[in-house]
Amino acid sequence: MQTRIQLEPSEAVSTSPYGDWAIQPHPLPAQEIATMLITRYTQHTQILHPLLPQFAAFDLLQRVYRPDGAIVSSEDSYRIFMLLAISSVTTYRRGDTDEHPYGYFRSAQRYIKQVDFVGSVNAVQNLLLVARFATYQHCDISIWDIARTCIRQCVALGLHQPPTAPLTPLQEQMNRNLFWDCYVHDRFASGVLGRPYAIAEDDITVALPVEISEAELISSKAQTLDEVASQNIVRPNEASVVRFVVSLRRAITRISNRFYSSHTPQDQLNSRSAVADAGQVRLDLHRFLAELKALRDSAPIFSDPQSLYQRPEWYDYLVEKDRLTLLRGALARMPVDGLPTPRSLVEMTLQCATRVIELYSALFSRGQITWTRSYFQILFTSGLSIMFTLSILRHEQKDHERQSNEVAIFAQASAALDSASSLMKMFVSEMPDAGRFARVFEVLVRQYTTGTGTGTRARPSRAPSRAATPVPQQHTDGYAQQQQAPNLRHEICLRRSTVAPSQHQHTQAR
């Protein structure tokens, strides 16, 4: 049975700010540059998103740069350009490479008609490559739509459950990595947009990837993945990061289902105290806070971190932003019928939001983290949370004198707002359509600070040169006026799929 995967107009993201007139497709770089970028991909991006194993990335590099000049397949050409695009995002922004990553993506687009995006493991990998790049740049396609398509195919391929036929340990580990990367992407996209998950937790029965490095797994003589798990393994390793991130995503899914679910019975909507009893909200809040703390304590510890995803500060940031999601949900669920908002919860939310901005700003100032739309949204939400909690606390202080510790907390929060505003303005150089949100945020900050905060010491962004990339004219809706990127939406989102619909509707309201 065939089904049509179609992107509805309301689901579409704005077109890319990089049009035909701005950045042209790049040719393949010199082999030494490609080797550097692929190596960087396996040492950084692949740690968190192991959609392709490391050996596959290097095998691909060898096939593309064969000395005999043999013809390269369309899929290999597509994949090498996508890997170069993803890996060069940070190197370009730091000034280590000169080629804009969008140029590599433009080159990959040439092969879209000849590449599979439905019906196989390779197809899911090809889609996830687009999803990874879309985290950093516009691709004229909805990341949420990609996430649902990936999960749908995983279900059709049976990757969400234990394999029904024997697999080699390496292949089973690759399948697990692929499914859980789709899962993380689905939870990320749904969380950013506030939309339903593509698959319910109860429908997932496949285990997490075994905590073993790829090199150890390849050299292992074990016949099954269960045998591998029982062996002496050097920990932590790259799989430790994936297991931690997936566990954290599953925890935030439970939090979202508890505090953000839209499927509340009508009779409970009419009487919030029935569903949001203060005692029950506090009980759930402290239970989830304890769970998040336990997860942070279980994060892998690398003696010599070589990547952002191995640094303890990054784990602090991940958990803290999820704590803020929990606290905001608890605030929203507290009863409002004649009961004041608990001051302790408001203060906790204020300090948590401040901490989120401080952690990101510190990582950014050291050049250890880049900017994405997700980070922009987190900064924006954290800033609004600070403003909201400050307004409550300042209103209550009309009746009593401000304590010295409160003065320090308020000053720290005001400085965090300045930092967030400065960071957002830096982001606009690569995300022009975010400019209107940055301007609104700046106006709001002026209402809560005197403008004398410490700001941020973050490194300036590397924007495309004005000669090569003119500033696009803006429509009244704030999106750049330009031609749409060719082929991608039509070839991925409008292509007919041979994937049969799953037996159950794997949706879960938030």
Side-chain angles (χ1 to χ4, degrees):
M1 178 178 179
Q2 289 188 333
T3 125
R4 189 176 181 83
I5 302 173
Q6 187 169 0
L7 185 64
E8 297 296 333
S10 61
E11 297 171 359
V13 299
S14 64
T15 54
S16 169
Y18 311 112
D20 293 342
W21 46 266
I23 297 175
Q24 295 299 316
H26 297 325
L28 280 173
Q31 185 171 359
E32 56 270 22
I33 295 178
T35 301
M36 180 271 291
L37 289 174
I38 297 300
T39 301
R40 177 172 178 78
Y41 175 87
T42 59
Q43 293 177 349
H44 296 274
T45 304
Q46 198 269 348
I47 293 177
L48 183 61
H49 300 283
L51 59 102
L52 285 176
Q54 295 179 17
F55 76 87
F58 286 111
D59 287 349
L60 172 65
L61 182 67
Q62 295 302 316
R63 290 196 301 271
V64 172
Y65 285 90
R66 286 178 59 176
D68 58 6
I71 297 177
V72 180
S73 70
S74 296
E75 184 168 80
D76 280 352
S77 297
Y78 166 81
R79 289 190 171 197
I80 194 70
F81 278 118
M82 287 304 302
L83 292 181
L84 293 174
I86 294 168
S87 184
S88 63
V89 167
T90 52
T91 60
Y92 176 82
R93 290 176 177 180
R94 291 175 176 175
D96 297 334
T97 54
D98 296 326
E99 293 74 22
H100 196 287
Y102 199 78
Y104 289 126
F105 175 70
R106 292 285 312 281
S107 297
Q109 284 182 289
R110 294 172 171 174
Y111 302 95
I112 284 176
K113 290 186 177 181
Q114 293 80 42
V115 175
D116 290 332
F117 289 101
V118 291
S120 66
V121 167
N122 283 353
V124 179
Q125 292 171 336
N126 292 335
L127 266 181
L128 281 177
L129 288 173
V130 178
R132 288 308 320 140
F133 186 71
T135 303
Y136 304 104
Q137 306 281 358
H138 269 298
C139 291
D140 195 26
I141 192 171
S142 166
I143 59 173
W144 186 72
D145 191 74
I146 293 179
R148 296 185 71 81
T149 303
C150 287
I151 290 293
R152 182 181 178 84
Q153 293 190 77
C154 285
V155 172
L157 295 168
L159 300 185
H160 66 302
Q161 58 191 8
T164 57
L167 296 174
T168 64
L170 180 60
Q171 185 60 56
E172 186 174 353
Q173 181 83 337
M174 289 168 55
N175 287 353
R176 291 187 186 184
N177 281 335
L178 184 62
F179 171 78
W180 287 113
D181 196 41
C182 290
Y183 172 92
V184 169
H185 180 61
D186 171 59
R187 269 35 181 180
F188 159 74
S190 297
V192 169
L193 298 175
R195 294 181 177 179
Y197 299 136
I199 185 171
E201 290 291 322
D202 292 342
D203 291 323
I204 302 172
T205 55
V206 66
L208 294 177
V210 172
E211 194 173 7
I212 185 174
S213 68
E214 184 178 312
E216 287 183 297
L217 182 58
I218 292 175
S219 62
S220 173
K221 303 300 183 182
Q223 299 299 310
T224 67
L225 204 53
D226 291 336
E227 292 181 23
V228 172
S230 63
Q231 296 178 349
N232 292 327
I233 300 172
V234 177
R235 296 185 178 91
N237 49 60
E238 61 262 28
S240 307
V241 178
V242 175
R243 290 171 62 91
F244 171 78
V245 171
V246 171
S247 298
L248 192 58
R249 288 303 92 208
R250 302 195 84 171
I252 202 64
T253 298
R254 292 189 291 272
I255 291 171
S256 298
N257 290 336
R258 168 61 182 91
F259 290 113
Y260 294 92
S261 174
S262 60
H263 281 263
T264 304
Q266 189 62 37
D267 59 337
Q268 294 183 0
L269 285 174
N270 294 332
S271 177
R272 289 190 59 186
S273 60
V275 67
D277 174 77
Q280 186 61 50
V281 170
R282 286 177 179 272
L283 182 64
D284 292 337
L285 170 63
H286 290 293
R287 173 169 59 88
F288 284 125
L289 284 174
E291 183 176 356
L292 290 177
K293 182 180 184 304
L295 279 171
R296 177 60 189 93
D297 293 340
S298 69
I301 301 175
F302 293 87
S303 58
D304 184 24
Q306 299 297 312
S307 169
L308 166 69
Y309 309 127
Q310 297 174 340
R311 297 184 181 278
E313 299 89 345
W314 185 68
Y315 299 129
D316 290 338
Y317 169 74
L318 286 184
V319 174
E320 202 67 25
K321 71 178 181 63
D322 286 344
R323 285 184 73 249
L324 181 59
T325 299
L326 168 60
L327 292 167
R328 289 174 56 237
L331 273 175
R333 285 293 187 179
M334 290 300 293
V336 295
D337 299 332
L339 296 176
T341 304
R343 183 179 178 86
S344 61
L345 180 55
V346 175
E347 291 177 342
M348 192 183 303
T349 305
L350 172 63
Q351 294 176 20
C352 183
T354 302
R355 180 69 172 153
V356 170
I357 296 174
E358 290 176 341
L359 287 168
Y360 181 87
S361 181
L363 288 169
F364 191 84
S365 66
R366 295 194 294 266
Q368 295 170 346
I369 198 170
T370 185
W371 60 87
T372 67
R373 298 184 184 282
S374 173
Y375 294 147
F376 186 97
Q377 186 235 16
I378 291 167
L379 289 173
F380 194 92
T381 303
S382 300
L384 293 183
S385 299
I386 290 175
M387 297 176 199
F388 173 73
T389 51
L390 278 178
S391 65
I392 295 177
L393 294 174
R394 284 174 173 171
H395 177 74
E396 292 180 355
Q397 284 171 351
K398 294 180 179 179
D399 299 328
H400 64 275
E401 184 178 354
R402 185 180 300 181
Q403 302 297 319
S404 59
N405 64 321
E406 292 176 341
V407 174
I409 292 174
F410 286 8
Q412 188 178 10
S414 296
L417 285 176
D418 286 342
S419 294
S421 182
S422 298
L423 285 165
M424 287 180 189
K425 286 186 285 188
M426 294 172 121
F427 289 8
V428 172
S429 64
E430 287 284 327
M431 299 185 300
D433 58 303
R436 51 183 174 169
F437 299 103
R439 289 191 293 272
V440 169
F441 187 86
E442 185 178 13
V443 171
L444 292 173
V445 168
R446 291 173 185 167
Q447 300 180 23
Y448 292 90
T449 68
T450 61
T452 58
T454 58
T456 178
R457 297 169 56 193
R459 274 204 279 191
S461 70
R462 170 173 177 167
S465 88
R466 293 186 177 181
T469 311
V471 177
Q473 298 296 318
Q474 297 291 320
H475 289 304
T476 55
D477 65 356
Y479 291 140
Q481 183 179 20
Q482 59 149 73
Q483 296 180 349
Q484 292 185 0
N487 296 331
L488 181 62
R489 181 183 297 177
H490 298 287
E491 294 302 325
I492 296 180
C493 293
L494 301 181
R495 183 180 295 185
R496 288 187 177 274
S497 170
T498 57
V499 180
S502 58
Q503 184 176 1
H504 302 285
Q505 184 68 28
H506 295 284
T507 58
Q508 182 170 324
R510 302 195 60 185

